[in-house]
Each structure stands twice: as structure tokens, then as C-alpha cells.
Amino acid sequence: MPRLPWVIKYRPKRVDDVVNQNEAKAVTLKWIKSWVAGNPIKKAALFNGPPGCGKTSLVEALANEFGYELVEMNASDYRRATDIERIAKVAATQRGLTGRGKLILLDEVDGLSRLADEGAIQAILDLIKITKNPVVMTANNAWEQKLKPIRDASLIVNFRRLTKTDVKRVLRRICELEGILCEEDAINFIAERAEGDLRSAINDLEAVAEGFGKVTLKVCKAVLRYRDRVYAPYEVVRKIFISKYAWQARQAASQTDLSPDELMQWINENLPLQITDPEDLWRAYEKLSRADVFFGRIVRSGSWDLLPYAIELMTAGVALSIINDPRARYKWIRYQFPQKILLMSRTKEMRQLRERIAENIGRRILASKRKVKNDVLPYVKIIFDRNLEYAARLAAGLNLDEHMIKYLSPQNAAVISKMAAEIWEETAKEALKKHTESARKAEEDIKPPEKRHETEISSNTAEKKTRKRRKKKEVKGKGLDAFFKK
Ligand SMILES: Nc1ncnc2c1ncn2[C@@H]1O[C@H](COP(=O)(O)OP(=O)(O)OP(=O)(O)O)[C@@H](O)[C@H]1O
Ligand SMILES: [Mg+2]
């Protein structure tokens, strides 16, 4: 059996399992009992509240507890007359003596206002009029103007945003049941970000736990940095693949803070997992590759006005390529982190190091970083592997730090670093000596001339000459200047 995602595995089975929402639960229980008694207060209830606070969960728990068969319809189905008719037919049918009652769920009716679909709203109103079974609708914002007729025909049940304490309690319980080690700080971090959206909190927890086996603050920060009150990448990818209409895919793509090319990597990585029909796959790749061509042009020529086409192709284009096997859309896939991004982030430090080395060398030899990386670095690496003394002098002269030396030759890094440090020390000593000497000389020069004897002066100049000669010799012998002069 495929592993269930945790949001489904830990969905409340009974009304009592729904955390918080006491008022909503009380109102709903009263309403459903009035249906059971055969004298409904109102035919339909409209559950209103923020995402992931338990609206759909409560409907499912109710159906479970009161023995109703749940008949669902989602926002994307409302446009199809046949779907509404199907639901209406079910709604209008009275429960037989033996059959189970039906609970009709019209999920996310506020999706309708986006479609501006008056026809669908009228169809729902008709359905409420004729129904012989309880109807529940859910919405994130029931107060939209378009929904007024539906509001007037329903019992409005308001759900609260879950508190951080609620979210943390559920997360802790899941960790316990899964036998996963988790840090309190990490739970706090996830709950904080979720802002009352338990669905996203559970998804985050699962993403961290499954990749890393335990939930620590450090891992949370690394894995979840992408999410900032927008959907996590894997949720966006799911939303794109599941889209039946272009606007849904487009909207999903806007709910992420991935950059467009990162999003393309996510789609690229997961496309062959989601779509398996060869012809669908071919169509999808065709769209994706065209998006890639646009991206290439954008990068090369800076024509950002092409961006909408690229995004349209990789989102709506890919989603609408699923024709032969529409069920593939709903297949539960454990989405993969794009290998390319993973590789880039793993090698990021290395690449930065390489850049810095190239910059140091380039400045010295007056060449571009690119030229240094292509033409010089390979040879420098060979020197660092073969000729330690030369390497050390280069390291000192080019001002390479320990990390850079390690990059150039991991096995010789320790020795080269030590030798380079010695060269540095020697050079520093040399410079100090030079400095004190010239300071002394300057002091001598400003001494009043009348105090000096002729002989003294001549011996002084002789001494100066020999000192100069000695210095020249020393410079020739060691130190950086000598090396670079050579
Ligand atoms: N109050 C709650 N008690 C227990 N679990 C909850 C609660 N709210 C949310 N969850 C968990 O989060 C998941 C998503 O919740 P649910 O589908 O009920 O959200 P929703 O309110 O319908 O959100 P949306 O408006 O986005 O559809 C559930 O499967 C469940 O695991
Ligand atoms: Mg819901």
C-alpha cells in the first residue's frame, strides 16, 4: 500500500478529533441533528474560515460519525453542467429505507467568484432548494459579494484560525505516533510559520521528517526557507499538475516564492513521476522545452517581456498536456527536490571559492576571472599538487587563505599553508627591518650638519653604501618581492 501523506493519515475521524472550533462544532452538530430529526433548521450550511483550520475535516468527521455517505464536488467541477446535474440528482433523492443518507459537500465555493460564474451560483441555489440531503459548502471568504445569494440561503458557520498552541499540539502528537525525534524549537518554528494553517504545518513537518529522519531546528530552517506564507514548492507542483484549467495552474505558480527558473526545475524533476502516458509525457516535455527556450532568450537578451510566455508554457502548458490519462493528475506522488538545485547549493561554497581565487590571480596577472578559471587555474592546481615550495610562495604572494589552498590541493593543504605562513613571517620581518633601518637613516639625516666631521661623513656614506648593497642582496635572496621580481 502506498504511504499516505500525513495530512490524510491524521485527518480527524470523529468530531471530537477536530481541534479547537468548539463553537463551529456545536452549531454544526445542532444543525445535523435537526436533519436527522427530519426537521432541518436550514438545508445548507456554509463553513467559512481560513485555510487548513478544519472545515473539510469537520465535514468528513460528521459523515463518518453520523453514518452519511459523503458526496463531494470541488471548485474545478462547478463549471461542468453535467457534474452539477449529477450532484443535484443525488441531492434530490430521498434516502431509501435501507440506504445511507448522503452528505453533499461543495468544497471551496469561493473559487466560483474567481470564475465569475453566475450560472454555477444559480445551479447551487437550485440544488439547495430541491435537496433532500444536508449540503455543506466551504469557503475561505464567504463574504465576497458574489456569494451573497448563497449566504442568504445557508446557515453560516464561522471557523477560527487555529492558534499556535493548537498547531504545536497536533505536530507533537504526530511526531509521537510516528516515533520521530523532534526538537521543541523545531515544532515552534514550524507552527510559527504556519500562521494557523494546520495543513501546511503538517506538510512541513512531513517534508522535514521524511528527508532527515528527525526534526531539528537546523534542518527546518534549511528545508523550509522557501515557504513564507506562500505554498511550499511541493504543494505548488501538486497544484500545477492537478489543474484542469489554465487559470488554476497560473494561480498556483503565483503562490510561490521560487524564482521562475527554480519552479521550472521543480516541474522538470517531477514531471516524469506524475505523468506516465507516453503521449501526455511527450506533450508536457514539448511545452517545458519551449519554456526553456524562452528562458534562454530572456537570460541572453534580457527580454523580460517574454517571461509570461515561459511561465504559461511550463505551468498551464504542462498541466493541460495531460489528456490521455487524466487520472494521472490525482496520483499521489512524493515530489523530489530538483537534483540540479541540490547540486548547485552543495557546490555553492566551492564555486564561490573558485571565484575568489580567480579574482586574486586575475588582479595580479591582469586577466579576467573567466580566463583565469579556464586557462590558469588548472596549472595552478598542478603546481599545488606537485611543487610544494613553489605553491607556498604562490599562496603567500597571491594572498590565498587556508580554504583556497585546500581547494587547490586538499592533500597538500596543511604543508603548503604552513610554508606559506613561514614565508609571510619572513617577509614581515624583512619589512620591519627595512622600516627601522630607514627610520634610523632619516633620523641621522636630520642631524645638524655642523656636528659632523668630514671623515665621519665619508665613513657614513661608505657604510650606507655597504648597507644598501647588503639589502639588495637580501632582497634578491628571499621574500616575496624577490620572488615576483624573479
Ligand atoms: N481543527 C483541526 N483539527 C485537526 N486536524 C486539523 C484541523 N484543521 C486542519 N487539520 C489537519 O489539516 C488538514 C487540512 O485541514 P482541512 O482540509 O480541514 O482544512 P480546511 O479548513 O478545509 O482548509 P481549506 O480552506 O484550505 O480547504 C487535515 O487533513 C487535518 O490533518
Ligand atoms: Mg478544505
Side-chain angles (χ1 to χ4, degrees):
M1 198 179 122
R3 227 169 64 103
L4 282 178
W6 289 357
V7 273
I8 295 177
K9 190 170 169 189
Y10 294 106
R11 210 161 36 184
K13 306 270 179 316
R14 311 188 61 82
V15 175
D16 265 352
D17 297 341
V18 176
V19 175
N20 199 323
Q21 317 299 9
N22 288 337
E23 206 183 307
K25 285 197 277 190
V27 175
T28 313
L29 279 174
K30 205 166 140 204
W31 172 72
I32 203 81
K33 280 175 187 162
S34 77
W35 264 101
V36 173
N39 185 22
I41 309 169
K42 283 245 176 184
K43 286 183 151 183
L46 177 55
F47 286 9
N48 181 41
C53 69
K55 299 181 297 295
T56 309
S57 297
L58 183 58
V59 180
E60 288 173 351
L62 270 183
N64 203 22
E65 208 160 303
F66 285 79
Y68 280 109
E69 182 190 336
L70 197 61
V71 182
E72 279 182 71
M73 187 156 97
N74 288 319
S76 46
D77 304 324
Y78 294 139
R79 281 210 139 177
R80 283 221 300 266
T82 47
D83 280 318
I84 298 185
E85 273 166 26
R86 173 179 66 87
I87 297 277
K89 224 178 255 168
V90 175
T93 313
Q94 190 115 38
R95 166 166 39 157
L97 278 180
T98 49
R100 281 163 75 198
K102 307 258 194 318
L103 180 61
I104 317 268
L105 169 61
L106 308 180
D107 222 359
E108 296 168 20
V109 284
D110 45 352
L112 285 175
S113 53
R114 224 174 279 125
L115 299 174
D117 201 334
E118 302 273 354
I121 291 191
Q122 192 52 50
I124 291 176
L125 287 174
D126 291 344
L127 187 152
I128 295 175
K129 220 173 275 165
I130 57 158
T131 188
K132 296 197 168 67
N133 296 285
V135 175
V136 180
M137 289 160 286
T138 72
N140 290 139
N141 182 10
W143 302 108
E144 286 187 32
Q145 186 56 31
K146 283 260 156 47
L147 295 179
K148 182 159 190 323
I150 292 184
R151 271 201 312 271
D152 291 343
S154 330
L155 172 76
I156 299 185
V157 184
N158 284 311
F159 281 65
R160 294 161 179 279
R161 187 177 286 282
L162 293 178
T163 66
K164 206 172 134 187
T165 321
D166 294 329
V167 173
K168 276 159 71 173
R169 187 150 25 110
V170 175
L171 296 182
R172 264 190 232 113
R173 200 178 71 93
I174 294 178
C175 284
E176 219 175 275
L177 292 171
E178 290 286 327
I180 284 165
L181 212 67
C182 73
E183 288 178 359
E184 188 57 28
D185 280 354
I187 295 287
N188 202 43
F189 181 81
I190 296 177
E192 180 79 45
R193 302 169 61 84
E195 290 178 19
D197 182 347
L198 189 50
R199 180 196 292 113
S200 74
I202 296 177
N203 278 334
D204 281 355
L205 182 76
E206 185 176 8
V208 174
E210 80 136 347
F212 300 86
K214 60 182 173 187
V215 181
T216 65
L217 183 62
K218 208 172 132 200
V219 175
C220 284
K221 281 188 177 163
V223 174
L224 305 175
R225 66 176 193 282
Y226 285 110
R227 248 183 56 85
D228 186 20
R229 233 16 257 142
V230 289
Y231 290 101
Y234 50 88
E235 285 177 85
V236 175
V237 173
R238 188 176 315 284
K239 274 175 177 273
I240 290 173
F241 281 126
I242 217 165
S243 300
K244 284 191 197 162
Y245 302 104
W247 66 266
Q248 292 171 323
R250 216 175 290 136
Q251 199 201 3
S254 70
Q255 285 173 308
T256 173
D257 51 7
L258 290 177
S259 68
D261 58 324
E262 278 174 327
L263 182 60
M264 192 171 75
Q265 294 302 334
W266 273 89
I267 295 170
N268 181 39
E269 186 80 24
N270 291 295
L271 192 154
L273 303 175
Q274 188 87 50
I275 304 175
T276 40
D277 179 85
E279 217 176 74
D280 286 352
L281 202 57
W282 165 71
R283 260 190 295 269
Y285 270 127
E286 186 75 15
K287 299 290 185 304
L288 199 63
S289 62
R290 291 190 58 191
D292 196 30
V293 170
F294 278 114
F295 273 122
R297 280 182 202 160
I298 292 167
V299 172
R300 270 198 310 279
S301 63
S303 345
W304 287 96
D305 50 330
L306 293 176
L307 190 61
Y309 302 112
I311 294 180
E312 192 79 5
L313 280 164
M314 76 184 190
T315 56
V318 167
L320 300 185
S321 299
I322 306 176
I323 295 171
N324 291 357
D325 181 16
R327 278 176 317 173
R329 266 198 196 100
Y330 306 106
K331 205 163 53 179
W332 169 256
I333 300 291
R334 194 157 291 281
Y335 292 121
Q336 308 289 329
F337 200 97
Q339 288 305 312
K340 188 169 169 197
I341 298 181
L342 213 58
L343 203 70
M344 295 291 272
S345 65
R346 267 197 215 131
T347 56
K348 188 170 169 216
E349 222 169 284
M350 285 293 201
R351 279 181 291 128
Q352 282 175 347
L353 214 50
R354 203 170 127 89
E355 289 290 311
R356 277 170 42 216
I357 299 174
E359 205 177 309
N360 277 15
I361 298 181
R363 221 181 290 133
R364 208 64 183 227
I365 64 173
L366 301 181
S368 71
K369 276 200 282 186
R370 205 171 121 211
K371 185 134 189 85
V372 173
K373 279 190 284 187
N374 289 338
D375 300 345
V376 181
L377 268 190
Y379 296 105
V380 176
K381 266 175 166 270
I382 293 174
I383 295 173
F384 271 63
D385 278 339
R386 305 274 167 84
N387 187 340
L388 302 196
E389 198 194 336
Y390 194 34
R393 280 195 285 160
L394 273 178
L398 292 169
N399 221 351
L400 303 183
D401 64 24
E402 250 172 77
H403 301 289
M404 296 171 170
I405 297 176
K406 199 161 180 183
Y407 171 86
L408 289 167
S409 174
Q411 74 272 25
N412 298 334
V415 184
I416 296 176
S417 296
K418 195 161 161 263
M419 286 165 70
E422 279 166 13
I423 295 177
W424 260 114
E425 213 180 291
E426 214 169 288
T427 319
K429 263 190 217 155
E430 196 87 26
L432 197 71
K433 212 162 98 193
K434 250 196 259 174
H435 175 77
T436 38
E437 221 160 283
S438 58
R440 208 183 63 207
K441 193 181 134 229
E443 221 169 69
E444 267 171 19
D445 284 350
I446 53 171
K447 265 185 195 163
E450 67 269 20
K451 279 191 182 171
R452 288 195 222 163
H453 289 294
E454 193 70 23
T455 46
E456 255 181 351
I457 292 169
S458 66
S459 77
N460 241 352
T461 29
E463 197 184 300
K464 243 190 273 167
K465 263 184 194 160
T466 41
R467 216 186 294 143
K468 235 183 199 168
R469 228 178 289 132
R470 204 184 310 140
K471 215 163 40 185
K472 235 183 194 169
K473 226 182 183 176
E474 275 166 3
V475 164
K476 237 183 186 176
K478 11 178 164 139
L480 294 180
D481 284 355
F483 171 69
F484 280 106
K485 263 182 199 147
K486 256 205 296 191

